[in-house]
Amino acid sequence: MTTKPESKDKVYQSADFDKTPPRPRVVMPDKLIHRQVEGDGQRDAYSKERKHPVFFVDLPSKCISMTIGHLDPGQSSNRHRHTYETILYVLEGEGYSVVHDQKIEWKTGDAVYIPVWTWHNHVNTSTTGIARYLACENAPILQNLGGVALREELPEKGMKDPE
């Protein structure tokens, strides 16, 4: 059975346990594709805060998010941490990420795992080309489970974790 999404999805509580359906139902959202993400998905305020361009994939996933970002030659992201895990896939370029106190070198085609609540930042080591990445995160599911997708950011870009 395929249905259109309800304007207000039912929120179930403990007393509704007997209303668990015997099988899943397909809910077809209005949007299944975001064309030309890097052409129209840039979030200016978010990018300005992060000091590098970030493009949001605008699709109705309730569990995972996907963004595309890039660092200019020699650029580094701010040191930050968050309550959601991230897999960073390098689309183009080379550099390294500092995860906790480990320096992880990467290049095109590599994937880097960022564990929950670890301080980290990313650095493009090229002097001529950008480093582009695809970041997949489970932040939406944490937000939908009670707003627990949290992020903390530092202006420092060094390799040391704060005390």
Side-chain angles (χ1 to χ4, degrees), residues 22-140:
R23 66 180 85 136
R25 65 184 173 97
V26 175
V27 177
M28 289 301 295
D30 291 333
K31 187 174 186 177
L32 294 175
I33 188 168
H34 180 176
R35 296 188 190 280
Q36 300 300 311
V37 172
E38 291 181 80
D40 76 353
Q42 184 168 348
R43 298 290 174 92
D44 292 333
Y46 188 87
S47 294
K48 185 177 179 182
E49 250 180 52
R50 302 303 175 274
K51 299 184 179 77
H52 64 91
V54 180
F55 304 86
F56 285 43
V57 175
D58 183 12
L59 292 172
S61 172
K62 294 180 176 93
C63 297
I64 58 170
S65 66
M66 186 181 297
T67 59
I68 299 171
H70 79 255
L71 297 167
D72 288 328
Q75 187 177 21
S76 171
S77 69
N78 288 343
R79 195 138 178 87
H80 62 283
R81 63 183 178 175
H82 32 73
T83 57
Y84 41 92
E85 55 189 353
T86 301
I87 295 177
L88 196 75
Y89 179 74
V90 182
L91 297 166
E92 175 183 355
E94 59 186 44
Y96 65 89
S97 296
V98 179
V99 181
H100 191 52
D101 59 357
Q102 296 182 48
K103 182 178 180 179
I104 312 296
E105 294 186 14
W106 45 255
K107 63 182 181 215
T108 302
D110 291 344
V112 179
Y113 176 68
I114 311 298
V116 170
W117 208 238
T118 56
W119 287 105
H120 61 281
N121 67 299
H122 316 291
V123 180
N124 179 358
T125 56
S126 173
T127 57
T128 58
I130 66 168
R132 284 179 55 243
Y133 63 86
L134 176 70
C136 299
E137 300 169 324
N138 63 333

Side-chain angles (χ1 to χ4, degrees), residues 125-160:
T125 56
S126 173
T127 57
T128 58
I130 66 168
R132 284 179 55 243
Y133 63 86
L134 176 70
C136 299
E137 300 169 324
N138 63 333
I141 197 167
L142 296 175
Q143 286 304 95
N144 290 321
L145 289 173
V148 292
L150 308 172
R151 181 183 172 101
E152 184 176 19
E153 191 155 341
L154 299 172
E156 296 85 27
K157 297 178 182 178
M159 291 179 57
K160 294 283 185 192

